[in-house]
Amino acid sequence: RTQSNFDIVHAIFEAYKTGFTRETLSDKSGISKYTISKLETADANPSLNTLQKLAEAMGKKLHIEFQPL
């Protein structure tokens, strides 16, 4: 699991703190509850399209950058 996986998990749980549920994230994003569940446990390798849908559903902007190792 990478830092990116944990960033996704963190973003999802922050959304839950503001009133989102797995069902509302699924409804707003069009991502299945099963996939959101896999994202919550960092057991998924989401596409950029999935990440964009998730970000939009949470009212966030997706930002990806390359950083030196």
Side-chain angles (χ1 to χ4, degrees), residues 7-16 25 36 39-40 54 58:
D7 291 343
I8 296 165
V9 171
H10 178 75
I12 291 171
F13 282 98
E14 286 298 309
Y16 291 164
L25 269 181
I36 291 171
L39 290 169
E40 290 170 0
L54 185 64
M58 295 187 292

Side-chain angles (χ1 to χ4, degrees), residues 31 45-56 62-64:
I31 301 168
N45 188 15
S47 67
L48 287 175
N49 186 50
T50 297
L51 292 175
Q52 184 65 42
K53 288 178 181 179
L54 185 64
E56 288 176 8
L62 179 63
H63 175 84
I64 298 171

Side-chain angles (χ1 to χ4, degrees), residues 2 4-5 10 13 15 18-19 25-26 29 37 44 46 56 58 64 68:
T2 65
S4 297
N5 292 107
H10 178 75
F13 282 98
T18 65
L25 269 181
S26 177
S29 67
S37 175
E56 288 176 8
M58 295 187 292
I64 298 171

Side-chain angles (χ1 to χ4, degrees), residues 12-42:
I12 291 171
F13 282 98
E14 286 298 309
Y16 291 164
K17 288 181 184 176
T18 65
F20 281 91
T21 64
R22 190 179 297 149
E23 187 167 345
T24 57
L25 269 181
S26 177
D27 290 345
K28 287 180 177 258
S29 67
I31 301 168
S32 72
K33 289 183 276 186
Y34 174 79
T35 299
I36 291 171
S37 175
K38 298 293 268 181
L39 290 169
E40 290 170 0
T41 58

